[in-house]
Coordinates of all heavy atoms in Angstrom, one line a residue:
P1 N -6.2 -20.1 5.5 CA -6.5 -19.8 4.1 C -6.7 -21.1 3.3 O -6.2 -22.2 3.6 CB -5.2 -19.1 3.6 CG -4.2 -19.7 4.5 CD -4.8 -20.1 5.8
Y2 N -7.4 -21.0 2.2 CA -7.5 -22.1 1.2 C -7.4 -21.3 -0.2 O -8.2 -20.5 -0.5 CB -8.8 -22.8 1.3 CG -8.9 -24.1 0.6 CD1 -8.9 -25.3 1.4 CD2 -8.9 -24.2 -0.7 CE1 -8.9 -26.5 0.8 CE2 -9.0 -25.5 -1.4 CZ -9.0 -26.6 -0.6 OH -9.0 -27.9 -1.2
V3 N -6.4 -21.7 -1.0 CA -6.2 -21.1 -2.3 C -6.6 -22.1 -3.4 O -6.6 -23.3 -3.2 CB -4.7 -20.6 -2.5 CG1 -4.4 -19.5 -1.5 CG2 -3.7 -21.8 -2.4
H4 N -6.9 -21.5 -4.5 CA -7.4 -22.3 -5.7 C -6.5 -23.4 -6.0 O -7.0 -24.5 -6.3 CB -7.7 -21.4 -6.8 CG -8.5 -22.0 -7.9 ND1 -7.9 -22.8 -8.9 CD2 -9.8 -22.0 -8.1 CE1 -8.9 -23.3 -9.6 NE2 -10.1 -22.8 -9.2
A5 N -5.2 -23.2 -6.0 CA -4.2 -24.2 -6.4 C -4.4 -25.5 -5.5 O -4.0 -26.6 -5.9 CB -2.8 -23.7 -6.3
M6 N -4.9 -25.4 -4.3 CA -5.1 -26.5 -3.4 C -6.1 -27.5 -3.9 O -6.1 -28.7 -3.5 CB -5.3 -26.1 -2.0 CG -4.2 -25.3 -1.4 SD -4.5 -24.4 0.1 CE -4.9 -25.6 1.3
F7 N -7.0 -27.1 -4.9 CA -7.9 -28.1 -5.5 C -7.2 -29.1 -6.3 O -7.7 -30.2 -6.6 CB -8.9 -27.3 -6.4 CG -10.0 -26.6 -5.6 CD1 -10.3 -25.3 -5.9 CD2 -10.7 -27.2 -4.6 CE1 -11.3 -24.6 -5.3 CE2 -11.8 -26.6 -3.9 CZ -12.0 -25.3 -4.3
T8 N -6.0 -28.8 -6.7 CA -5.2 -29.8 -7.6 C -4.3 -30.7 -6.9 O -3.6 -31.5 -7.5 CB -4.4 -29.0 -8.7 OG1 -3.4 -28.2 -8.0 CG2 -5.4 -28.1 -9.5
T9 N -4.2 -30.5 -5.6 CA -3.2 -31.4 -4.8 C -4.0 -32.5 -4.2 O -5.2 -32.6 -4.1 CB -2.6 -30.5 -3.7 OG1 -3.6 -30.1 -2.8 CG2 -1.9 -29.3 -4.2
G10 N -3.2 -33.5 -3.7 CA -3.8 -34.7 -3.1 C -3.4 -34.9 -1.7 O -3.9 -35.9 -1.1
H11 N -2.6 -34.0 -1.1 CA -2.3 -34.3 0.3 C -1.7 -33.0 1.0 O -1.5 -32.0 0.3 CB -1.2 -35.4 0.5 CG 0.0 -35.2 -0.4 ND1 1.1 -34.5 0.1 CD2 0.3 -35.6 -1.7 CE1 2.0 -34.4 -0.9 NE2 1.6 -35.1 -1.9
D12 N -1.6 -33.0 2.3 CA -1.3 -31.8 3.1 C 0.0 -31.2 2.6 O 0.1 -30.0 2.5 CB -1.2 -32.2 4.5 CG -1.1 -31.0 5.4 OD1 -1.8 -30.0 5.2 OD2 -0.2 -31.0 6.3
E13 N 1.1 -32.0 2.5 CA 2.4 -31.3 2.1 C 2.3 -30.6 0.7 O 2.8 -29.5 0.6 CB 3.5 -32.4 2.0 CG 4.8 -31.9 1.5 CD 5.4 -30.7 2.4 OE1 5.1 -30.7 3.6 OE2 6.1 -29.9 1.9
A14 N 1.5 -31.2 -0.2 CA 1.3 -30.6 -1.5 C 0.5 -29.3 -1.3 O 0.8 -28.3 -2.0 CB 0.6 -31.5 -2.5
N15 N -0.4 -29.3 -0.4 CA -1.2 -28.1 -0.2 C -0.3 -27.0 0.4 O -0.4 -25.8 -0.1 CB -2.3 -28.3 0.9 CG -3.5 -29.1 0.3 OD1 -3.7 -29.1 -0.9 ND2 -4.3 -29.6 1.2
R16 N 0.6 -27.3 1.3 CA 1.5 -26.3 1.8 C 2.4 -25.8 0.8 O 2.7 -24.6 0.7 CB 2.3 -26.9 3.0 CG 1.4 -27.0 4.3 CD 2.2 -27.2 5.5 NE 3.1 -28.3 5.5 CZ 2.7 -29.6 5.7 NH1 1.5 -29.8 6.0 NH2 3.5 -30.6 5.6
Q17 N 2.9 -26.6 -0.1 CA 3.7 -26.2 -1.2 C 3.0 -25.3 -2.2 O 3.5 -24.2 -2.7 CB 4.3 -27.4 -2.0 CG 5.4 -28.1 -1.1 CD 6.5 -27.2 -0.7 OE1 7.1 -26.5 -1.5 NE2 6.9 -27.4 0.6
A18 N 1.7 -25.6 -2.5 CA 0.9 -24.8 -3.4 C 0.7 -23.4 -2.7 O 0.7 -22.4 -3.4 CB -0.4 -25.5 -3.6
F19 N 0.4 -23.4 -1.4 CA 0.2 -22.1 -0.7 C 1.5 -21.3 -0.7 O 1.5 -20.1 -1.0 CB -0.3 -22.4 0.7 CG -0.6 -21.1 1.4 CD1 -1.7 -20.4 1.1 CD2 0.3 -20.6 2.4 CE1 -2.0 -19.2 1.8 CE2 0.0 -19.5 3.1 CZ -1.2 -18.8 2.8
L20 N 2.6 -21.9 -0.5 CA 3.9 -21.2 -0.4 C 4.2 -20.6 -1.8 O 4.8 -19.5 -1.9 CB 5.0 -22.2 0.0 CG 6.4 -21.6 0.1 CD1 6.5 -20.5 1.2 CD2 7.4 -22.7 0.4
A21 N 3.8 -21.2 -2.9 CA 4.1 -20.7 -4.2 C 3.2 -19.5 -4.6 O 3.5 -18.8 -5.6 CB 3.9 -21.8 -5.2
E22 N 2.2 -19.2 -3.8 CA 1.3 -18.1 -4.1 C 2.0 -16.8 -3.9 O 2.9 -16.7 -3.1 CB 0.1 -18.1 -3.2 CG -0.9 -19.2 -3.4 CD -1.9 -18.9 -4.6 OE1 -2.3 -17.8 -4.7 OE2 -2.1 -19.9 -5.3
D23 N 1.6 -15.8 -4.6 CA 2.0 -14.4 -4.4 C 1.3 -14.0 -3.0 O 0.1 -13.8 -2.9 CB 1.5 -13.5 -5.5 CG 1.8 -12.0 -5.3 OD1 2.3 -11.6 -4.2 OD2 1.5 -11.2 -6.2
A24 N 2.1 -13.8 -2.0 CA 1.6 -13.5 -0.6 C 0.8 -12.2 -0.5 O 0.0 -12.1 0.4 CB 2.8 -13.5 0.4
D25 N 1.0 -11.3 -1.5 CA 0.3 -10.1 -1.5 C -1.0 -10.1 -2.3 O -1.7 -9.1 -2.4 CB 1.2 -8.9 -1.9 CG 2.3 -8.7 -0.9 OD1 2.1 -8.8 0.3 OD2 3.4 -8.4 -1.4
N26 N -1.2 -11.2 -3.0 CA -2.3 -11.3 -3.9 C -2.7 -12.8 -4.0 O -2.8 -13.4 -5.1 CB -1.9 -10.8 -5.3 CG -3.0 -10.7 -6.3 OD1 -4.1 -10.3 -5.9 ND2 -2.8 -10.9 -7.5
L27 N -3.1 -13.4 -2.8 CA -3.5 -14.8 -2.8 C -4.7 -15.0 -3.6 O -5.7 -14.2 -3.6 CB -3.7 -15.2 -1.3 CG -2.6 -15.1 -0.4 CD1 -3.0 -15.4 1.1 CD2 -1.5 -16.1 -0.8
N28 N -4.7 -16.1 -4.3 CA -5.9 -16.5 -5.1 C -6.8 -17.3 -4.2 O -7.0 -18.5 -4.3 CB -5.5 -17.4 -6.3 CG -6.6 -17.6 -7.3 OD1 -7.7 -17.1 -7.1 ND2 -6.4 -18.5 -8.2
L29 N -7.4 -16.7 -3.2 CA -8.2 -17.3 -2.2 C -9.5 -17.8 -2.7 O -10.2 -17.1 -3.5 CB -8.4 -16.3 -1.0 CG -7.2 -15.9 -0.2 CD1 -7.6 -14.6 0.6 CD2 -6.9 -17.0 0.7
V30 N -9.9 -19.0 -2.3 CA -11.2 -19.5 -2.5 C -12.0 -19.6 -1.2 O -13.2 -19.8 -1.2 CB -11.3 -20.8 -3.3 CG1 -10.7 -20.6 -4.7 CG2 -10.5 -21.9 -2.6
G31 N -11.2 -19.5 -0.1 CA -11.8 -19.7 1.2 C -10.9 -19.1 2.3 O -9.7 -19.1 2.1
L32 N -11.5 -18.6 3.3 CA -10.7 -18.1 4.5 C -11.5 -18.2 5.7 O -12.7 -17.9 5.8 CB -10.5 -16.5 4.2 CG -9.6 -15.8 5.2 CD1 -8.2 -16.3 5.3 CD2 -9.6 -14.3 5.0
A33 N -10.9 -18.7 6.8 CA -11.5 -18.8 8.1 C -10.9 -17.8 9.0 O -9.7 -17.6 8.9 CB -11.4 -20.2 8.7
L34 N -11.7 -17.1 9.8 CA -11.2 -16.1 10.7 C -11.7 -16.4 12.1 O -12.8 -16.8 12.3 CB -11.6 -14.7 10.4 CG -11.3 -14.2 8.9 CD1 -12.5 -14.5 8.0 CD2 -11.0 -12.8 9.0
H35 N -10.8 -16.3 13.1 CA -11.2 -16.5 14.5 C -10.4 -15.5 15.4 O -9.3 -15.2 15.1 CB -10.8 -17.9 15.0 CG -11.2 -18.2 16.4 ND1 -10.2 -18.4 17.4 CD2 -12.3 -18.2 17.1 CE1 -10.8 -18.6 18.5 NE2 -12.1 -18.5 18.4
G36 N -11.2 -14.9 16.3 CA -10.6 -13.9 17.2 C -11.6 -13.1 17.9 O -12.8 -13.5 17.9
P37 N -11.2 -12.1 18.5 CA -12.2 -11.2 19.2 C -13.4 -10.8 18.3 O -13.2 -10.5 17.2 CB -11.4 -10.0 19.7 CG -10.0 -10.5 19.7 CD -9.9 -11.5 18.6
K38 N -14.6 -10.9 18.8 CA -15.8 -10.7 18.0 C -15.7 -9.4 17.2 O -16.0 -9.3 16.1 CB -17.0 -10.7 19.0 CG -18.3 -10.5 18.2 CD -19.5 -10.5 19.2 CE -20.8 -10.4 18.5 NZ -20.9 -9.6 17.3
K39 N -15.4 -8.3 17.9 CA -15.4 -7.0 17.2 C -14.3 -6.9 16.1 O -14.5 -6.4 15.0 CB -15.1 -5.8 18.2 CG -16.3 -5.6 19.1 CD -16.1 -4.4 20.0 CE -17.2 -4.2 20.9 NZ -17.1 -3.0 21.8
A40 N -13.2 -7.6 16.3 CA -12.1 -7.6 15.2 C -12.6 -8.4 14.1 O -12.3 -8.0 12.9 CB -10.8 -8.1 15.8
V41 N -13.2 -9.6 14.3 CA -13.7 -10.4 13.2 C -14.8 -9.6 12.5 O -14.8 -9.6 11.2 CB -14.2 -11.8 13.7 CG1 -14.9 -12.5 12.5 CG2 -13.0 -12.6 14.3
D42 N -15.7 -9.0 13.2 CA -16.8 -8.2 12.5 C -16.2 -7.1 11.6 O -16.7 -6.9 10.5 CB -17.7 -7.5 13.6 CG -18.6 -8.5 14.2 OD1 -18.8 -9.6 13.7 OD2 -19.1 -8.2 15.3
K43 N -15.1 -6.5 12.0 CA -14.5 -5.5 11.2 C -13.9 -6.1 9.9 O -13.9 -5.5 8.9 CB -13.5 -4.7 12.0 CG -14.1 -3.7 13.0 CD -13.1 -2.9 13.8 CE -13.8 -2.0 14.8 NZ -12.9 -1.3 15.6
A44 N -13.3 -7.3 10.1 CA -12.7 -7.9 8.9 C -13.6 -8.4 7.9 O -13.3 -8.5 6.7 CB -11.8 -9.1 9.4
I45 N -14.9 -8.7 8.3 CA -15.9 -9.3 7.4 C -16.9 -8.3 7.0 O -17.9 -8.6 6.3 CB -16.5 -10.6 7.9 CG1 -17.2 -10.3 9.3 CG2 -15.5 -11.7 8.1 CD1 -18.1 -11.5 9.8
K46 N -16.8 -7.0 7.5 CA -17.8 -6.0 7.3 C -18.1 -5.9 5.8 O -17.3 -5.9 4.9 CB -17.2 -4.6 7.8 CG -18.3 -3.6 7.7 CD -17.8 -2.3 8.3 CE -18.9 -1.3 8.2 NZ -18.7 -0.1 9.0
G47 N -19.5 -5.9 5.6 CA -20.0 -5.7 4.2 C -20.2 -7.0 3.5 O -20.8 -7.0 2.4
L48 N -19.8 -8.2 4.0 CA -20.0 -9.5 3.3 C -21.3 -10.0 3.7 O -21.9 -9.8 4.8 CB -18.9 -10.5 3.8 CG -17.5 -10.1 3.4 CD1 -16.6 -11.3 3.9 CD2 -17.3 -9.8 2.0

């Protein structure tokens, strides 16, 4: 994951702290990478 608050940090530890501070059920995502079995990834990105 990459959340919006990570744009304001300057290093990895600060990124992890910014991510930890997010509401885990409502992440302010600006980016997301997915990797896994082809069919499972296709279902996760369906409609995009």
